[in-house]
Amino acid sequence: MKNIAPADAAALETIETREWLESLDYVLRQGDKGRAIRLLEALRARARLAGLRLPYVATTPYINTIAPQEQVPYPGDRDIERRIKSLVRWNALAMVVRANRESDGIGGHISTYASSATLYEVAFNHFFRGKDAGRDADIIYFQGHASPGIYARGFLEGRISEEQLRNFRHELRPSGGLSSYPHPWLMPDYWEFPTVSMGLGPLMAIYQARYARYLSNRGLIEPANQKVWAFLGDGETDEPEALGSISLAAREKLDNLIFVINCNLQRLDGPVRGNGQIIQELEANFRGAGWNVIKVLWGSDWDEFLARDTDGLLVKRMAEVVDGEYQRYAVEDGAYLRKHFWGVDPRLLDMVRHLSDDDLKGLRVGGHDPIKVYNAYRAAVAHTGGPTVILARTIKGYGLGEAGEGKNITHQQKKMNETDLKTFRDRFGVPIPDDRIADAPFYRPAEGSSESQYLLERRHALGGFVPRRVVTAPALKPALGDVFDEFHKGTENRKASTTMVFVKMLAKMLRNEEIGKLVVPIVPDEARTFGMESLFRAVGIYSSIGQVYEPVDMATLLYYKEAKDGQILEEGITEAGSISSFIAAGTAYSTYGVNTIPFFIFYSMFGFQRVGDFIWAAADARVRGFLLGGTAGRTTLAGEGLQHQDGNSHTLALSVPTCRAYDPAYAYELAVIIEDGIRRMYGENEQAFYYITVMNEQYEMPPMPEGARDGIIKGLYQFKPAASKTGKRAQLIGSGAILNEVIKAQTLLIKYGVSADVWSATSYNELYRDAHRVERWNLLHPTEKPRVPYVTESLGSAPGVVVAASDYLKSQPDVLARWIGKPMVTLGTDGFGRSEDRGALRNFFEVNDRYVAAATLATLHREGHLGADVVGQAFKELEIDPEKVNPAHA
Ligand SMILES: Cc1ncc(C[n+]2csc(CCOP(=O)(O)OP(=O)(O)O)c2C)c(N)n1
Ligand SMILES: [Mg+2]
């Protein structure tokens, strides 16, 4: 083409392009898609051989994945469904508008559901299966900000009352209200999965889909056609958690998983990718990860243009417009579209010459077209071999018109005036008369009306209402004595760590007839760290395809055994993924009706600190199970240093209302706590989960003192009373590995004439909660005999000063000071950790036996029980440097 003038070259290229496309069309008309694919592959190979470097494309053209000729007709009554959808739209909008009129600033979201109404309604009418479908019942993660629409549908279905709608975001009203977002904690018969901390929903959904496979591969549930649906926002995909594990879903071939991403191209402040295309970016990510990607970009109105687009001009135009511009099209009128979208090429303009500006404005995008959405869902549900993501293009605030359709302020729109309401009503044909519109009244079609009958019939056919949370798992009545009894005896001269003890308990639980199968050990690539490798062989590591290789350590006793019915969830290095498995396992009693008992063991610093928001969501989801913070304690974990040494997690755990946190020192304490936990959570249906720190420091485990059980659970018991009750008196409290330092201090103090009792504090958090519970009762019942907190009952009348030491923040024991009623000093590990050995660390953080003794003597002196000379002498002997650097700030 070298000698051809540029204009001719362009013309020739056009002809050539057309010829090639016609050839392809010809092959396609023969109806053989395989042939077309082979042809294109052959072309690509030839081009590659000729040295052509085709640019890498992870994306497909900016058009619908499902071609019109592949579609099936809509199975429902479009007319009735549109009317129903309009009413849902209206009520969703009205509940937010009214809530904000009543209480300015109460919030709520109109525009998210406005954009996703079709995505939900098609699913409600044709796909979502309810609990009556048994094992086929779907698991649905609703986009949190769309909840007004979900409630509004519940209202039409008759399962949510008008009063409840009025009480949206007023949960504390006497007649009860509706929570802002999906919170199973607040609406336990309705919501199943919390989603509104963005990014957590998609990750939890992936692990949920994987957990369903795990349960069925292990024979705990029947295989089924159940799907896990996760609805999320396009802006939400910027959260690392949202896309962080998509490759796992493909690797595990989770064809029971469907993501629906509502691509309204906007987030809260503005466009998600104003200068790019979020849909193409997501397509590349998901395709690259191995997902089946279905793009739903254009409504049916566009089919005819694409059919006439023989030169590929329209497809090219669609692909070059950036999201910021597409957003603009949603706001501007038809003339603007004609000029700016179609007007770039006369041939494009020609295509729409017969249409008015209003017609142009009326061309819908794919996510608002039920037929496109239906066909996408249908394909997703039928897809096998991997997960599917539907990228549905929608318009944020669809139908709000001037009040905020497609505008940057749309997300914040919560109020509408009479004119706005009228416009919305007219657009969707909602039967509310002019004289009532200003009040934004709710509207429910009469019982027996065609709309009401239709939607009830559809839900009936699909297994009942969704969402609905039910608990079908029967309470366990485990008799676990034989599992735990041996740990009450102590180790008799043998040293062990609480981590080793835990692993031994876990192994015994796994062998237990009643609960063995239900135990789910979860590790994020730390099994060897915690000495759990013996379990690999014993119960196997779960792998959906078994083990297709011979492991390198096959010849050894503890080889790395992967199996299809393996019990351990070895998650690899992902605490976020592991906690998602924990949540799936810990809520299986409601999701699947199976009481699985998860034990998720992790490096304690990478628990609450790293995935704290997931733990919060776990509590909201009413999770049960055990979190084990392994190799915990700022000074007990030697060597690892600043990032690993945890002195924080118990304080963080205190903030989670249903989390019971324990810092046990001895085997019997651990045994009592776990046995009691299983009984309470699974036998008595208490809504709680446990966080237990375990250590790797080895020492002899003593036998359980008589009568200690109750105190272990409540958080405090006397472990070792002073040998003599004479002389100066003190109460020393220790917990976790630091208890041993405290016991040594008890001996050190004898020399200075101090008789100290030693207490083990297994849970400062539980003591704190008990004290506040009692204090509150006293406050509310001023004329009745005051009750006494457990900690006061235990220590209030014990003689002498109190010194409490733990491997965690000083704030742990500090919070109890005012209930103890006597001078108290606390020692703890505030500050950054160091790479060192235990001895040096405990000296640095001032939590060893010498500091416990020094703190006791100093307090006795301040209280006037001990002379300055004795303290001075003791400080010398104990080698206490008063000018030592403060570890809290060093
Ligand atoms: C972790 C987290 N960060 C921030 C927010 C606040 N927030 C709520 S909605 C929203 C924008 C959502 O945009 P998108 O995901 O695109 O959803 P859309 O409403 O557009 O469907 C933000 C930032 C949140 N809920 N969670
Ligand atoms: Mg968005």
Side-chain angles (χ1 to χ4, degrees), residues 630-753:
T631 330
R634 187 110 63 203
T635 68
T636 304
L637 176 58
E640 291 289 344
L642 183 151
Q643 183 66 69
H644 287 66
Q645 289 161 343
D646 168 33
N648 318 338
S649 59
H650 282 285
T651 303
L652 299 173
L654 177 60
S655 66
V656 183
T658 54
C659 177
R660 296 185 184 141
Y662 287 90
D663 179 21
Y666 296 134
Y668 65 81
E669 294 181 352
L670 194 58
V672 165
I673 294 162
I674 293 182
E675 183 178 6
D676 184 63
I678 293 178
R679 185 182 55 74
R680 289 166 74 178
M681 290 186 289
Y682 295 92
E684 288 161 20
N685 285 333
E686 280 189 23
Q687 200 48 71
F689 66 104
Y690 285 70
Y691 174 59
I692 307 174
T693 41
V694 287
M695 281 77 68
N696 66 354
E697 184 172 357
Q698 299 191 19
Y699 41 81
E700 196 184 315
M701 296 289 161
M704 178 155 127
E706 191 91 14
R709 196 172 186 285
D710 217 31
I712 293 172
I713 294 163
K714 288 182 169 157
L716 183 75
Y717 68 96
Q718 195 174 79
F719 172 74
K720 194 174 173 201
S724 140
K725 305 286 177 199
T726 57
K728 322 286 177 220
R729 298 287 276 129
Q731 306 300 319
L732 308 184
I733 309 173
S735 45
I738 300 300
L739 177 57
N740 292 314
E741 299 291 337
V742 171
I743 294 166
K744 283 188 271 173
Q746 182 185 38
T747 310
L748 280 180
L749 284 166
I750 294 170
K751 176 176 172 192
Y752 303 103

Side-chain angles (χ1 to χ4, degrees), residues 470-476 588-596 624 682 685:
V470 290
V471 176
T472 51
L476 291 177
Y589 69 93
S590 57
T591 317
Y592 307 96
V594 181
N595 275 311
T596 46
R624 292 175 182 153
Y682 295 92
N685 285 333

Side-chain angles (χ1 to χ4, degrees), residues 112 143 145 196 198 233-236 239 264 266 396 411:
T112 302
Q143 191 185 356
H145 299 88
V196 85
M198 303 179 73
D234 48 358
E236 182 170 7
E239 292 284 1
N264 53 28
Q266 287 181 243
K396 190 139 176 167
H411 192 90

Side-chain angles (χ1 to χ4, degrees), residues 383-643:
H383 182 73
T384 56
T388 293
V389 59
I390 291 165
L391 303 172
R393 203 175 132 211
T394 63
I395 288 170
K396 190 139 176 167
Y398 187 69
L400 294 185
E402 277 306 302
E405 180 169 296
K407 295 184 177 172
N408 277 340
I409 47 99
T410 295
H411 192 90
Q412 300 300 87
Q413 180 62 284
K414 330 228 171 265
K415 296 183 181 165
M416 289 174 88
N417 60 31
E418 190 172 335
T419 321
D420 294 337
L421 290 171
K422 274 188 182 153
T423 314
F424 191 88
R425 175 202 63 184
D426 294 344
R427 171 136 181 205
F428 295 108
V430 184
I432 292 173
D434 273 355
D435 60 337
R436 295 203 51 219
I437 193 82
D439 299 338
F442 296 121
Y443 184 89
R444 175 154 52 192
E447 237 174 86
S449 64
S450 55
E451 291 88 352
S452 166
Q453 274 181 357
Y454 184 90
L455 62 84
L456 292 178
E457 183 276 318
R458 288 313 304 149
R459 285 319 311 158
H460 185 69
L462 287 162
F465 297 133
V466 292
R468 191 157 72 94
R469 183 179 173 278
V470 290
V471 176
T472 51
L476 291 177
K477 293 261 172 287
L480 299 173
D482 65 327
V483 174
F484 296 101
D485 283 352
E486 75 166 282
F487 301 98
H488 297 171
K489 296 192 194 96
T491 49
E492 288 166 2
N493 301 325
R494 272 180 305 109
K495 288 183 171 179
S497 68
T498 45
T499 304
M500 290 160 67
V501 169
F502 165 70
V503 173
K504 206 166 165 201
M505 273 176 208
L506 184 61
K508 284 192 79 175
M509 283 188 272
L510 284 163
R511 285 197 299 271
N512 180 270
E513 200 154 325
E514 269 168 296
I515 64 159
K517 271 197 155 358
L518 299 173
V519 170
V520 180
I522 304 170
V523 278
D525 199 32
E526 300 285 4
R528 291 182 203 279
T529 313
F530 305 126
M532 286 170 68
E533 58 271 40
S534 63
L535 297 183
F536 289 168
R537 173 72 190 274
V539 294
I541 295 164
Y542 173 70
S543 153
S544 55
I545 53 166
Q547 193 157 37
V548 297
Y549 64 97
E550 188 164 291
V552 61
D553 49 5
M554 187 72 190
T556 66
L557 207 58
L558 305 178
Y559 79 95
Y560 196 82
K561 180 183 160 196
E562 299 193 62
K564 205 165 168 180
D565 62 352
Q567 198 158 350
I568 301 171
L569 285 172
E570 161 66 90
E571 300 293 13
I573 312 166
T574 165
E575 283 76 12
S578 306
I579 191 81
S580 299
S581 282
F582 175 79
I583 296 169
T587 52
Y589 69 93
S590 57
T591 317
Y592 307 96
V594 181
N595 275 311
T596 46
I597 310 173
F599 288 86
F600 169 27
I601 184 161
F602 50 87
Y603 245 127
S604 70
M605 197 63 155
F606 306 134
F608 279 87
Q609 184 140 314
R610 173 123 189 176
V611 291
D613 201 19
F614 278 101
I615 298 177
W616 188 254
D620 184 353
R622 302 178 160 258
V623 87
R624 292 175 182 153
F626 295 90
L627 298 175
L628 278 299
T631 330
R634 187 110 63 203
T635 68
T636 304
L637 176 58
E640 291 289 344
L642 183 151
Q643 183 66 69

